Structures are given as C-alpha cells and as structure tokens.
Amino acid sequence: MFYRESGQFKSSYAEDQQIFPIRQDRIGIAALLVLAFVVVPLTADQYWFSAILTPFLIFSLAALGLNILTGYAGQLSLGTAAFMAIGAFMAYNVELRLPWMPILGSFAIGGLCAAAVGVVFGLPSLRIKGFYLAVATLACQFFVLWAINRIGWFSNNSSSGVITAQKIVIAGYTLDTPAAKYLLTLAIVTLMSLAAKNLMRSETGRAFMAVRDMDVAAEVVGIRMMHTKLLAFAISSFYCGVAGALFAFCYLGTVEPEAFNLDLSFRVLFMIIIGGVGSILGCYLGSAFIILLPILLNLVAGGVSHTFGVEINHASLSNIELIVFGSLIIFFLIVEPHGLARLWQIAKEKLRLWPFPH
Amino acid sequence: MKRNMIGGLGVAFAACAAMAFSAGAAAQAKEQFVPANGYWVGPYAPGGSGIFGGLIDYMQMINDRDGGINGVKFSGGKCETEYNNARGVECYERSKKKGPTGASVIHPLSTGITYSLIDKVAADKIPMISLGYGRTDAADGRVFPYVFPLITTYWSQAAAMVKYIGTKMGGMDKLKGKKITLIYHDSAFGKEPHGILQDMGKQYGFDVQMIAVAHPGNEQQAQWLQVRQAKPDYVILWGWGVMNTVALKAAAKIGYPRDKIIGVWWAGAEEDVLPAGDVAKGYIAAGFNVSGANFPVIKAIQKHVYAKGKGEMEDKSRIGSIYYNRGVVHGILTVEAIRKAQERFGKGQPMTGEQVRWGIENLNIDAAALKKLGAEGFMPPLKVSCADHEGSGLVKFQQWDGKAWKVLTDWIEPDRKLVRDKIEASAAQYAKEKGITLRDCSKEK
C-alpha cells in the first residue's frame, strides 16, 4: 500500500531512467535531505555533531569507496585505511605547501593521490583474484603506513609523525564549529553518493558489475579488463582518500599514522559486509551499525545499571557490550546474509503488498 | 516475524537510551565532575583499570575523609574508550557537559586520544592532563594553554635515561664512543624520543641505533638478533603492553643482560615483568611514581574506601602496584589543582574548566606539601607555570628483583634546558602552522 506504484505513469525516457523511479522514494529522499541539511543543524547539539553524525558520514563515504571496488567491481581489498591515510596526509601537505589552494582543492588532490596509489596497487588484480588479491592489497596497507612513518616529508618532519589539520576556510568563511564541519561533510558525502549512484547506473558501472559477475564473459563481450579494473581501483581509492581527508580535517583535527591501521581497513570491510555488498544504502546502514551501535550499547548498559541501581562491575559491563555487539553481527548475518540493505529491500516489497499479501 | 523481532529490539534500545539520557541530566548542584574516560577491556586493560582505579579511589577517599574539597564532592562517570581514538572522542563529547560545571579536567590516558582532543579542549575550555604521555611540545603553555603533560614528558624521560646511563658509567664524558640501542613501539609514542636521543648522541659522542617493533610487538626475534650483532652498551626499551614482556624474553634468549635494559615508564609495571617470569629479574625501568602500599596516602585509601567495602579494585593485591599508584598521582594532581582554583575563585564552589586550568597552571607541590598529602617519595615535587606545563621532569629508576620494583636512585633531573629548547622550537613550528599567536605569560594573573 505504501509503495503502490499504480497511477505513476512514465511518459518519457528521462522519467523512465531517473534515479528514483518511484514517487514515494523521491519524497522519502527529499525528506531525508531536508532533515539532514535543515532540521538536524537547527536541533542537534555538539555531541551529536562531533561524536555521532560526522564520523558516521565519513565512514559511510569510506565504505562507499570500498563498496564500489568490492561490491560492484568484485575486487576484494584490505587497503582502505591506507587510501584514507594518503588522502589525509596529502591534503595536509597540499594545504601546507600550497597555501593558496582552496580547501576543497586540497581534498580533491588528496583523493587523486590516493587514486594514483590505488591504480598502482590495483595492477595485481589483473592476474589474481579473490582472497589472493586481498593479500596483495594488504601489502599496500603496510607499505603506505611504513612510508608515512619513515619519510619525514609527509608529516612535515614532525618528531612523532603526527599531523595537525589546518583551518578550513571556504570563500573567506572559517568553518570551525562542529555544526559547520558537519554541514561540509554532509554536502561532500551527499554529492559523492549521488555521483556513485549515477556511476553505477552508467555504462562504466555496468562494466564493473559484468567484471564482478564473470570476468571471462565480460572480456568476451568486449569490456576492457585492465581499463575497467584499474578504473574501479582509482574511483574507489579516490572516495577513500576524500574520506581520509575529511577524517583529518572535519573530525579529529590531529591524526597519527597509527589511526589508519589494518584494524580500520577491517572495520570498513565489515561495514559493507553487514550493510550490504553492492548497495549504496548498505554503506550507510553498515557504517551506522559498526560506528553507532557500540555507542548505543554503551549508553544502554549505563542506563540500565543506573535505572535499576544494579552495581555492575565496569569491566564486565564493557565486556558484555562487546559480546552483545558480536552476537548482533552474527544474528543479522544469519537473518539476512546479504546485509541490512537487503532487509530494507524485503521490507519495501512487503510494504508494497500490504495489507493484502498473496 | 523476523521484522517483529528486530522492531522489538529497536524499541527496547530506544527506551533504554532514553533512560540513559534522562539519568545523565539529573545532576546535583555542589559537585565537581571529573570523568573517567578509560579502558577496562582490550590489550591495554591492565594499565587503564589500574590507573583509573587509583584515580577514582583517591577522589572517593577525599569525598569520604574530607567531605570533598571545602564541601564540594567529586562525582564521576566511567566511559569505555577501548584505547580507540574515535571512542575516546565520543566519550569526551559525552562527558564534557555533565555535572554542574561540565567536565572539569580530562585524562585521556592514550597518546592517540590526546592528539585527537588537543583542538577540542582548547575550544571547549577544558584542561587536559596527559601525565607522562601525549604530545611533548604541549609543555609549552604559551602555545597549548589547555594541555598539561605534567611531571615529565617523553623527551625529559629520554634525557633522564641518558643521564642515568652516564652516571652508571661514571660520568657523562664516559659516554663517548658507546653504543645505545633504542627498541621502540612503531607508533607516534615510540617515535617521540628519536630527536632528543640523536641530539644527545651528537653532544656526548655516543652512537644511537633505532630498531622498530611493529604493533603489538609479540614477535621480536629479528630485532633482538640485530641487538646481538650490534652489542650495544645499553638498550632503551620504549614499549607498551605485551611488547615489553616479549622483549624481556627475547633478550634472555640471546643472552643480553637484563640490567642493561632500561625501560620507559610505560614498560615498567608489574604487569610487564610478571608474565616474563624469572628472565625479567634485574630489568631496570624509569618511573615518576614508585610502587608499594606503605605510603600514608595509600593507607588512607585503604582505611576510608576499602575498609568500608567500597573501592574500584577487585583484585586487592593490585593496590600499591605501579599502575594503581600512578592513578593516585593522577588523583593528587587533579584534587590539588581544583583546591588551588577554589582558593582564588571561591571556596566551596564547583569550578569550571577554565578555573581549573588556572589551578593547574599555578600548581606548586613542594616537598612539604607532598609530606602533608602523605606522598613523600611517592611522586616528585612539581611547580607548574604559564609557560612550563611540565613542571618537574624528575624520574626515579627502579629495578625488578623478581618480586617487586626496588628503587635504585633518587629523583634524577634531565638536562632541562636542552629539552626545553627543543620543546619551544617544536611548539613554535606548530604555532606557525596553525597560525596561533603565543600567549604572553607576563600578562597572566
């Protein structure tokens, strides 16, 4: 009933090809955007901006980057955090060494540097597949961190290898409040999500999916293997690089190379597995699950022990949180192995039939 | 059915979250809120639980014995950071508005989280104490008004180690032509001493060799083979967590004498040496606090907290351990800074972050004050100022005898001018990058 499409006629090719063909979806997305761009900035407090929403958006973008590569083009990668590190450190260096460069230009250059490295480490994908490729990208993860740690140029010879992001100034206006940084992050993430959504509906995106589903067949129908795979690596790394730059400039402010360790790569990989491999919505759901659920569990545990006056040892409480979090991951993967995005799709189908299922 | 279950879970979460928020909002008026954003799980839990145990117990003792500071009692809340930067930032944001005056002081207890919070504490006007860790050049209070790497920084520590090695050899001139190897945790923490060791090596003519150990450090055979080849006169161990234990075992395997290994203070707790067993005997580590439960301050905690069935430590044998006592040092500094702030801004009032910052900046704990606190010989005296956010630089060296840490030296002072010059140069570079104008300390009241 809620998703009834009857009465929605498409009378032109443009209408038939639009991103959200169902009117309810268009209304929903518009409402969501109004909520994110207008209602949230007016109502949320600093805690929400700097501890919840900004990291959520940044990790959604990183997950989106990985999803383009793994979910759409079928190339498994464990180098996400390294690409983020390149984005962060290069954006910092561009700002430092080319002071006239506008900040968005620095973010873009950070992303492009990550893309270049992505192409280089994507070369093995022409020969190897699956888990073996994942191991090859692991080399990227370790090499990049090693280089950033060893080569003083990256951190402007800081004694501890730590960089401090410069001020964000756009058109003479300094963005220094958490709300302003949130809005900048939101704008970039929205635009890049839109670009990704469109890219995946284009010829390039279809080529990615063809390579993912069966690369021999794809080659036979005339898709250039090297071009497609390396393009996937480049686009994916660009997204991760921009996410890394946002991580440094809009979220933490000061970052050490260790922040981008293998653990972070795994977390982003878990985000797309839980959210939904090969789905844009899944990136957001997965990021919310991995980033926000532990915080929610922590608040809930604190609330329960406070309300009921039960004195639970804090160490046990923290361990229980981890256990519950782990169980929830298993629960969701059993309920829906294709991720949370698939759950939403099923829900949508049910809503379409409701209240008269067959 | 599936969806119902998920929906039910969601409703339960929402209800619980609402309770959590409403519980946090109900705070009493005359309280001084000091958050405990630490870690009780994960690989670094021994450090986190011990230090926060000591801190919380000390504040509890002040509440029970003295009724707080001039009637203002301490309140606190724990938040689990898992030693993870993102969680640390989240805990900070969650705790900064709690209590009548917000968080009065932050102890991040992680160098990474300290870095992540430097910009935020300055904007929120909440002082951050990074006691013996964190960003070294933050000791220049003109550039970093809200960050306090109190007592001693990593650079002072490295300088003090070289001085100690020099004294053991019979004078600093004897260091000429000697070889010192630094085995370090490959992170920002481990890289901190590089510059100062190289500078001192040039100054005194000794050779410095740096060997990195990748996190977490449970595989060190290659590194110690290098040590065997180089045959250094001393090894400085700059480790954290499991890396320390593994290093001691690896040193024993190649037969490197343990009394020639000198550890940083994060490599000098019972938790580091006990798992290594007998091979740890003779190992030397620095520390800005000593172990032992015989100090009046620890006895007061046992009498006023544990005798009443309260207290943080489940394993009572950890009371008086290095980490626990370090937590008590955190407690003493926090309480004394707030007491100092109350003397100026109004006794019996909860202090704001800005006022506590003044209190820390004017903290002066001399030998007489330490005696009064029951902490004579327990921690070094310190005097903080607007420009100098370190305040002391003193460390003791202690040796593990198989059962306990035995103190070898009195407080050793590093070459403070050398360290200070480096700190000011580094802070000036930071100020230039960030466009910060230096605070004029002669105008501070």
Side-chain angles (χ1 to χ4, degrees), chain B residues 2 5 34 57 66 72 123 159 190 217 262 301 309 375 408:
Chain B
K2 262 185 211 165
M5 271 172 78
V34 178
D57 282 349
D66 307 347
V72 182
I262 299 178
I301 291 175
L408 290 178

PDB file of all heavy atoms in Angstrom, chain B residues 2 5 34 57 66 72 123 159 190 217 262 301 309 375 408:
ATOM      1  N   LYS B   2      10.267 -12.128  11.611  1.00  0.00           N
ATOM      2  CA  LYS B   2      11.622 -11.584  11.647  1.00  0.00           C
ATOM      3  C   LYS B   2      11.586 -10.092  11.960  1.00  0.00           C
ATOM      4  O   LYS B   2      12.305  -9.608  12.798  1.00  0.00           O
ATOM      5  CB  LYS B   2      12.256 -11.761  10.268  1.00  0.00           C
ATOM      6  CG  LYS B   2      13.141 -12.968  10.155  1.00  0.00           C
ATOM      7  CD  LYS B   2      13.786 -12.918   8.794  1.00  0.00           C
ATOM      8  CE  LYS B   2      14.048 -14.301   8.252  1.00  0.00           C
ATOM      9  NZ  LYS B   2      14.326 -14.276   6.839  1.00  0.00           N
ATOM     10  N   MET B   5      10.752  -9.122  15.486  1.00  0.00           N
ATOM     11  CA  MET B   5      11.843  -9.262  16.454  1.00  0.00           C
ATOM     12  C   MET B   5      12.770  -8.058  16.396  1.00  0.00           C
ATOM     13  O   MET B   5      13.152  -7.483  17.406  1.00  0.00           O
ATOM     14  CB  MET B   5      12.652 -10.519  16.149  1.00  0.00           C
ATOM     15  CG  MET B   5      12.120 -11.744  16.845  1.00  0.00           C
ATOM     16  SD  MET B   5      12.980 -13.170  16.243  1.00  0.00           S
ATOM     17  CE  MET B   5      14.488 -13.022  17.156  1.00  0.00           C
ATOM     18  N   VAL B  34      34.467  14.909  37.475  1.00  0.00           N
ATOM     19  CA  VAL B  34      35.710  14.513  36.818  1.00  0.00           C
ATOM     20  C   VAL B  34      35.439  13.198  36.089  1.00  0.00           C
ATOM     21  O   VAL B  34      35.235  12.167  36.730  1.00  0.00           O
ATOM     22  CB  VAL B  34      36.855  14.316  37.835  1.00  0.00           C
ATOM     23  CG1 VAL B  34      38.124  13.855  37.119  1.00  0.00           C
ATOM     24  CG2 VAL B  34      37.138  15.604  38.573  1.00  0.00           C
ATOM     25  N   ASP B  57      39.603   5.903  43.271  1.00  0.00           N
ATOM     26  CA  ASP B  57      39.707   5.620  44.710  1.00  0.00           C
ATOM     27  C   ASP B  57      40.198   6.842  45.477  1.00  0.00           C
ATOM     28  O   ASP B  57      39.735   7.128  46.582  1.00  0.00           O
ATOM     29  CB  ASP B  57      40.670   4.448  44.946  1.00  0.00           C
ATOM     30  CG  ASP B  57      40.000   3.118  44.651  1.00  0.00           C
ATOM     31  OD1 ASP B  57      38.773   3.103  44.473  1.00  0.00           O
ATOM     32  OD2 ASP B  57      40.714   2.096  44.590  1.00  0.00           O
ATOM     33  N   ASP B  66      37.379  13.879  53.782  1.00  0.00           N
ATOM     34  CA  ASP B  66      37.331  15.333  53.952  1.00  0.00           C
ATOM     35  C   ASP B  66      35.977  15.922  53.556  1.00  0.00           C
ATOM     36  O   ASP B  66      35.787  17.132  53.636  1.00  0.00           O
ATOM     37  CB  ASP B  66      38.402  16.006  53.066  1.00  0.00           C
ATOM     38  CG  ASP B  66      39.800  15.416  53.293  1.00  0.00           C
ATOM     39  OD1 ASP B  66      39.958  14.692  54.297  1.00  0.00           O
ATOM     40  OD2 ASP B  66      40.696  15.674  52.481  1.00  0.00           O
ATOM     41  N   VAL B  72      32.714  20.579  48.420  1.00  0.00           N
ATOM     42  CA  VAL B  72      32.332  20.199  47.055  1.00  0.00           C
ATOM     43  C   VAL B  72      32.813  18.781  46.818  1.00  0.00           C
ATOM     44  O   VAL B  72      34.012  18.519  46.817  1.00  0.00           O
ATOM     45  CB  VAL B  72      32.965  21.150  46.012  1.00  0.00           C
ATOM     46  CG1 VAL B  72      32.508  20.759  44.621  1.00  0.00           C
ATOM     47  CG2 VAL B  72      32.608  22.579  46.315  1.00  0.00           C
ATOM     48  N   ALA B 123      38.907  24.642  22.379  1.00  0.00           N
ATOM     49  CA  ALA B 123      37.649  25.291  22.014  1.00  0.00           C
ATOM     50  C   ALA B 123      36.648  25.231  23.157  1.00  0.00           C
ATOM     51  O   ALA B 123      35.895  26.171  23.391  1.00  0.00           O
ATOM     52  CB  ALA B 123      37.072  24.636  20.769  1.00  0.00           C
ATOM     53  N   ALA B 159      66.041  12.085  28.039  1.00  0.00           N
ATOM     54  CA  ALA B 159      67.224  12.790  28.520  1.00  0.00           C
ATOM     55  C   ALA B 159      67.649  12.254  29.886  1.00  0.00           C
ATOM     56  O   ALA B 159      68.847  12.090  30.162  1.00  0.00           O
ATOM     57  CB  ALA B 159      66.939  14.284  28.598  1.00  0.00           C
ATOM     58  N   GLY B 190      56.342   5.718  20.123  1.00  0.00           N
ATOM     59  CA  GLY B 190      57.703   5.201  20.045  1.00  0.00           C
ATOM     60  C   GLY B 190      58.663   6.142  19.334  1.00  0.00           C
ATOM     61  O   GLY B 190      59.873   6.078  19.546  1.00  0.00           O
ATOM     62  N   GLY B 217      53.698  -6.191  18.863  1.00  0.00           N
ATOM     63  CA  GLY B 217      55.052  -6.492  19.334  1.00  0.00           C
ATOM     64  C   GLY B 217      55.238  -7.881  19.915  1.00  0.00           C
ATOM     65  O   GLY B 217      56.140  -8.086  20.728  1.00  0.00           O
ATOM     66  N   ILE B 262      66.906  -0.594  29.837  1.00  0.00           N
ATOM     67  CA  ILE B 262      66.218   0.431  30.612  1.00  0.00           C
ATOM     68  C   ILE B 262      64.907   0.757  29.933  1.00  0.00           C
ATOM     69  O   ILE B 262      64.873   1.125  28.761  1.00  0.00           O
ATOM     70  CB  ILE B 262      67.112   1.678  30.725  1.00  0.00           C
ATOM     71  CG1 ILE B 262      68.386   1.269  31.451  1.00  0.00           C
ATOM     72  CG2 ILE B 262      66.400   2.779  31.481  1.00  0.00           C
ATOM     73  CD1 ILE B 262      69.370   2.356  31.592  1.00  0.00           C
ATOM     74  N   ILE B 301      43.583   5.518  51.686  1.00  0.00           N
ATOM     75  CA  ILE B 301      42.583   4.960  50.756  1.00  0.00           C
ATOM     76  C   ILE B 301      42.062   3.638  51.302  1.00  0.00           C
ATOM     77  O   ILE B 301      40.853   3.377  51.301  1.00  0.00           O
ATOM     78  CB  ILE B 301      43.203   4.768  49.354  1.00  0.00           C
ATOM     79  CG1 ILE B 301      43.479   6.129  48.707  1.00  0.00           C
ATOM     80  CG2 ILE B 301      42.273   3.949  48.465  1.00  0.00           C
ATOM     81  CD1 ILE B 301      44.195   6.055  47.376  1.00  0.00           C
ATOM     82  N   GLY B 309      34.147  -1.256  52.360  1.00  0.00           N
ATOM     83  CA  GLY B 309      33.557  -2.119  51.341  1.00  0.00           C
ATOM     84  C   GLY B 309      33.398  -1.456  49.992  1.00  0.00           C
ATOM     85  O   GLY B 309      32.738  -1.975  49.104  1.00  0.00           O
ATOM     86  N   ALA B 375      52.485  11.660  50.582  1.00  0.00           N
ATOM     87  CA  ALA B 375      53.068  11.118  49.352  1.00  0.00           C
ATOM     88  C   ALA B 375      54.540  11.481  49.239  1.00  0.00           C
ATOM     89  O   ALA B 375      55.050  11.708  48.150  1.00  0.00           O
ATOM     90  CB  ALA B 375      52.291  11.633  48.149  1.00  0.00           C
ATOM     91  N   LEU B 408      66.216   2.391  42.725  1.00  0.00           N
ATOM     92  CA  LEU B 408      67.677   2.433  42.649  1.00  0.00           C
ATOM     93  C   LEU B 408      68.229   3.819  42.914  1.00  0.00           C
ATOM     94  O   LEU B 408      69.310   3.962  43.465  1.00  0.00           O
ATOM     95  CB  LEU B 408      68.136   2.012  41.245  1.00  0.00           C
ATOM     96  CG  LEU B 408      67.972   0.562  40.814  1.00  0.00           C
ATOM     97  CD1 LEU B 408      68.442   0.426  39.384  1.00  0.00           C
ATOM     98  CD2 LEU B 408      68.773  -0.361  41.701  1.00  0.00           C
TER      99      LEU B 408
END
